[in-house]
């Protein structure tokens, strides 16, 4: 059983440690899913958490049918393998209006992209537990999706840590 | 002890979310005696778990893993609750 992972994580502000204000993006216009992946990964690329290889790995994965990153409720968790260009663990998020179609597939409209870079297979788990718990909560998820600026998003994420 | 396994392509993101939510749901249902874990599709073999929970995109690829439970949304806790409960019944694990 790994329940201890979640119990530990709930006491620490890991989600907003990664999802800082500069990593919460609200672009006016996004030109399709490739542009969305480029944009949401830009803060992680800029601060050195990932290399260009990671962005390309995500693009290749999605283009190859990797729409499993669609979590439902128009939320996508964009990620690739740690060995594909992750330097250190990082998260970023981007709100998109109107929705873009993941891999141009009508079955996968996305309005919130979360980009996850996991430096190894365990370090990011506490933050992921918080994110999963938040996204699985109807009220919290709706508030997060409805955010229109970083401050509103941060307020929901902060509440999700408790 | 029964084992439920959440599986996704990388074993890093969505499977961990499902893993945590299965544990949450089992607790709510009052079902003990189930080990929950997560893994990537490539490292799982048939017989590794009593029930394997996957997103619909890898449903076909995971078809050989035995009792495969396909989730339409991996963050829909209501869907998961219903499907976990059904799995506990199938495996004779219903709450006492």
């Amino acid at each position: 059983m790994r329940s201890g992972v979640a119990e530990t994580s709930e006491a620490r502000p890991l989600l907003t440690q990664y999802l800082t204000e500069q990593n919460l993006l609200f672009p006016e216009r996004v030109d399709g899913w490739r542009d969305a992946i480029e944009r949401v990964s830009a803060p992680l690329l800029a601060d050195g958490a990932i290399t260009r290889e990671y962005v390309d790995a995500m693009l290749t994965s999605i283009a190859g049918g990797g729409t499993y990153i669609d979590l439902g409720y128009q939320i996508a968790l964009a990620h690739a393998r740690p060995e594909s260009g992750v330097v250190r663990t990082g998260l970023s998020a981007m709100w998109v209006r109107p929705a873009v179609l993941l891999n141009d597939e009508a079955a996968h409209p996305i309005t919130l992209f979360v980009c996850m870079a996991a430096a190894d297979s365990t370090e990011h788990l506490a933050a992921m537990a918080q994110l999963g718990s938040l996204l699985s909560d109807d009220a919290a998820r709706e508030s997060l999706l409805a955010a229109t600026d970083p401050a509103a998003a941060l307020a929901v994420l902060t509440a999700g840590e408790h | 002890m029964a084992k439920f396994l959440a599986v996704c392509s990388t074993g890093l993101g969505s499977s961990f979310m499902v893993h945590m939510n299965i544990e949450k749901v089992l607790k709510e249902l009052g079902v003990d005696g189930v080990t929950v874990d997560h893994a990537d599709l490539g490292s799982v073999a048939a017989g590794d778990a009593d029930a394997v929970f996957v997103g619909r995109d890898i449903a076909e690829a995971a078809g050989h893993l035995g009792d495969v439970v396909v989730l339409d949304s991996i963050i829909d806790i209501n869907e998961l609750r219903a499907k976990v409960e059904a799995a506990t019944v199938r495996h004779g694990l219903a709450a006492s």
Side-chain angles (χ1 to χ4, degrees), chain B residues 5-52:
Chain B
L5 195 58
V7 174
C8 70
S9 294
T10 61
L12 295 171
S14 52
S15 63
F16 181 66
M17 288 184 177
V18 174
H19 166 177
M20 301 308 305
N21 282 338
I22 291 174
E23 286 187 346
K24 188 193 287 183
V25 164
L26 286 170
K27 206 170 173 182
E28 283 174 15
L29 294 171
V31 176
D32 295 322
V34 182
T35 302
V36 186
D37 207 347
H38 65 280
D40 69 282
L41 184 60
S43 68
V44 185
D48 281 359
D50 295 283
V52 176

Side-chain angles (χ1 to χ4, degrees), chain A residues 31-133:
Chain A
D31 189 17
W33 69 270
R34 288 180 182 275
D35 188 36
I37 296 299
E38 296 278 355
R39 284 169 181 260
V40 71
S41 56
L44 301 179
L45 198 55
D47 75 11
I50 58 172
T51 66
R52 177 70 218 177
E53 183 193 356
Y54 196 69
V55 184
D56 291 334
M58 289 189 289
L59 291 169
T60 304
S61 166
I62 296 165
T67 49
Y68 57 83
I69 68 166
D70 181 353
L71 302 180
Y73 300 99
Q74 305 202 343
I75 301 168
L77 182 69
H79 63 291
R81 303 283 319 172
E83 60 271 23
S84 303
V86 177
V87 178
R88 60 176 183 275
T89 297
L91 284 170
S92 57
M94 182 176 74
W95 283 251
V96 181
R97 291 188 181 84
V100 304
L101 299 179
L102 200 56
N103 201 27
D104 302 322
E105 294 177 26
H108 299 287
I110 303 297
T111 54
L112 173 59
F113 283 86
V114 177
C115 182
M116 179 187 79
D120 62 49
S121 59
T122 55
E123 189 192 340
H124 69 297
L125 291 180
M128 284 299 295
Q130 290 183 338
L131 184 63
S133 167

Side-chain angles (χ1 to χ4, degrees), chain A residues 138-150:
Chain A
D138 290 343
R141 182 183 58 245
E142 277 167 31
S143 300
L144 191 68
L145 283 169
T148 53
D149 58 47

